[in-house]
């Protein structure tokens, strides 16, 4: 009885299918943008410089 009363008062708390679809598309687009940034030549050279500097410091 208490569960039924609680369910009637809580309303719709979850995401609908359309909201899941929009969220999934947004997450995929964000991942694609991050992938493009990380794989760009400028970021690659910056990461290589950081790694080389760390290796020189390590000895």
């Amino acid at each position: 009885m208490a569960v039924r009363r609680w369910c009637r008062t809580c309303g719709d708390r979850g995401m609908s299918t359309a909201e899941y679809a929009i969220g999934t598309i947004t997450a995929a687009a964000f991942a694609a943008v991050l992938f493009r940034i990380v794989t760009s030549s400028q970021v690659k050279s910056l990461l290589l410089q950081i790694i080389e500097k760390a290796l020189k410091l390590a000895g």
Side-chain angles (χ1 to χ4, degrees):
M1 191 68 128
V3 173
R4 286 184 189 174
R5 213 173 314 144
W6 178 77
C7 286
R8 277 188 242 142
T9 59
C10 66
D12 185 21
R13 291 187 176 193
M15 290 196 313
S16 69
T17 304
E19 290 169 328
Y20 277 116
I22 297 297
T24 302
I25 291 170
T26 304
F30 185 65
V33 169
L34 284 178
F35 181 76
R36 294 286 295 205
I37 290 171
V38 171
T39 58
S40 70
S41 61
Q42 296 162 338
V43 173
K44 280 183 184 178
S45 67
L46 179 64
L47 289 174
L48 283 174
Q49 288 175 3
I50 292 171
I51 292 170
E52 287 174 357
K53 197 180 271 188
L55 289 174
K56 286 179 184 176
L57 288 174

